[in-house]
Amino acid sequence: MHLVSAAAPSTAPATPEGRTINRGAALGLLAMTQFVLVLDAGIVGVALPSLVKGLGFAQNDLSWVTNAYTLMFGGFLLLGGRLADYFGRRRMFMGGLILFSAASLLGSLSPSPGWLIGARAIQGFAAAVVSPAALSLLLISFPDNTDAEKAERNKALGVWGAVAGAGGAVGLILGGMLTDWFGWEACFWVNVPIGVAAALLAPRVLPEGAPTGNRTGFDLAGAFTVTGGLAGIVFVLVNAQKVGWTSPETLGLGAVSLALIAAFIVIESRTRLPLVPLSIFRRPVLRGANAASLLQVMGLMPAFFFMTLYTQQVLGYSPLKSGLSLVPIALAIVVAATIAGQLVAKMGIKPTTIGGMVIMSLGLLWASGMPADGSYVTDLLLPQIVIGLGAGLAWVALTVAGTAGASEEESGLASGLLNTSQQIGGALGLAILAAVASARTTHLFGTGDSPTQALSGGFGTALLAGAGLGVLAAIATVFLLPGKNALPAVDEHAIELAEETDHIAILPVGDAVSAN
């Protein structure tokens, strides 16, 4: 990990009162905030099985604890960036942190599953506000006007990425400890004092990040229609197992959800300041990278969810032991992300992406054999390492592809779209694979299998389907991502930034706040 000097050069930004910003302090606060937001992903993921007993969650409804967050985060991420431009980065950073802390407090006080799901949705929206504001403040604090400043910014982004990557692994361990010692509620209230303290410190150590001056409105209608449409589709996929695929409820809500997405497309084509200018999709590289990324995450993210349930509900691990058992996949992803740039430079974006997806799919295929009396080393540890290495390689390569060739004005939108695709892909994948697991478990239990055998069979079938989605993502890369000659030139700086920041998003259960 690189260290960034706390000394404040004369070119450092200043507060409205004229104080020079201490870059080290600014980086420390922003990195700590990112650490806490990413930490929350692992903490909540490990606590999921405890919600079945502690709060009366039905097994089939557990996925909503994750999907409520990811849908709101993915659906409002681009709007969050626009709000930061409109109202000011520091102001939105502080407001988002306070909202995230309040939602965490509400979650810890949840008397029912519906209450907790609502709190998670608010957390997701708050994270969508904090994430773009935090990264923007980091970039403001570390300008890149000279070669020396560029080097300093790269070091800061390296710290940002390393701290956030560590948060994923620490969250798995801390989540187990908190759940074991204090109950699932502790996984939510732990965020409250840290979030409030960070919000109170922000005016003292962060630049103002004033509005850009382009205060001509933002696309609320677009944000709400796309989020509502996607949430409706996910609900249909989850709820259809209960009411039937051809029931009036399923067909009616499905039609409304598709109508909302169609309305989003119409709004974006007509509004003066669209959330997502449709013209950006004329770039084949961006289209291919987003499609492949969405499919990859559909297969990858649910693996965290099912492995957590498998270790606790089938193997009988405590929450702490379960968290420790899943640390290898988070570490493998971080390791692969740090070497992916070298492979991209030597082999190219497309081969690295395809190779990573194939490796990830093989790991998921291996993990899908999880038996009711599984061995940790052969049935969990080794498959995790294979999955993590493949995912990290493909993720960085797709990030480079999705943002390569973008103009300065388009770079934020391009990276935001890629992150949105990842979050929505995680929600859709979990909804689909949770339905697959539920159907298989019900079938096996009906044929006489024991509860643990039926559960392990359902989880394994879901991971097998995830491997299939990974293969589909590799095929999509072959046909949708242009060849080497058609790809924009990618400089070493773009690859380095992808390595340093992009593994943040590949964290347990899809709750991470990406630095994209």
Side-chain angles (χ1 to χ4, degrees), residues 315-468:
L315 299 183
Y317 288 6
S318 68
L320 176 56
K321 187 176 180 180
S322 173
L324 288 169
S325 73
L326 298 178
V327 168
I329 190 170
L331 297 180
I333 289 171
V334 173
V335 169
T338 60
I339 64 174
Q342 300 174 28
L343 293 178
V344 170
K346 292 179 180 179
M347 300 172 54
I349 293 173
K350 194 168 183 176
T352 304
T353 302
I354 295 171
M357 288 178 175
V358 170
I359 294 171
M360 183 195 81
S361 299
L362 290 174
L364 289 169
L365 177 63
W366 188 351
S368 69
M370 49 178 57
D373 56 349
S375 162
Y376 173 69
V377 173
T378 57
D379 297 312
L380 271 174
L381 174 61
L382 296 178
Q384 282 185 72
I385 294 173
V386 176
I387 294 169
L389 292 175
L393 293 177
W395 208 291
V396 171
L398 282 174
T399 299
V400 175
T403 56
S407 65
E408 184 175 350
E409 293 76 16
E410 289 182 329
S411 60
L413 175 60
S415 59
L417 279 174
L418 194 62
N419 194 19
T420 298
S421 296
Q422 293 160 357
Q423 297 297 326
I424 299 305
L428 291 174
L430 183 53
I432 294 170
L433 299 190
V436 169
S438 176
R440 182 61 176 165
T441 296
T442 301
H443 171 74
L444 292 175
F445 189 70
T447 59
D449 282 6
S450 68
T452 54
Q453 289 174 327
L455 283 171
S456 63
F459 300 153
T461 302
L463 290 182
L464 181 62

Side-chain angles (χ1 to χ4, degrees), residues 15-185:
T15 65
E17 297 79 15
R19 290 186 293 106
T20 301
I21 291 296
N22 184 312
R23 289 179 172 178
L27 175 61
L29 179 60
L30 292 170
M32 182 191 73
T33 302
Q34 188 76 345
F35 179 83
V36 171
L37 293 177
V38 175
L39 187 80
D40 183 71
I43 288 178
V44 174
V46 173
L48 285 174
S50 300
L51 297 177
V52 175
K53 295 181 179 179
L55 206 54
F57 260 92
Q59 184 80 12
N60 293 344
D61 294 335
L62 271 180
S63 61
W64 277 107
V65 179
T66 294
N67 280 343
Y69 183 101
T70 54
L71 281 169
M72 293 295 284
F73 177 77
F76 287 104
L77 178 63
L78 294 175
L79 179 65
R82 185 76 184 94
L83 291 173
D85 290 340
Y86 192 90
F87 292 111
R89 280 83 170 180
R90 192 176 68 188
R91 185 177 300 167
M92 296 310 298
F93 174 81
M94 295 169 60
L97 275 178
I98 294 297
L99 183 61
F100 188 87
S101 300
S104 298
L105 180 61
L106 288 174
S108 71
L109 300 174
S110 297
S112 66
W115 180 299
L116 181 60
I117 290 171
R120 291 290 286 159
I122 299 172
Q123 278 188 318
F125 175 79
V129 172
V130 172
S131 179
L135 183 58
S136 181
L137 287 168
L138 181 69
L139 299 179
I140 291 172
S141 299
F142 293 87
D144 61 349
N145 300 318
T146 66
D147 289 341
E149 287 179 341
K150 288 178 181 178
E152 199 76 3
R153 173 182 281 194
N154 287 349
K155 291 179 182 180
L157 286 169
V159 173
W160 169 275
V163 167
V170 173
L172 291 168
I173 301 170
L174 184 59
M177 294 170 61
L178 290 173
T179 305
D180 264 355
W181 298 345
F182 303 108
W184 63 265
E185 297 91 344

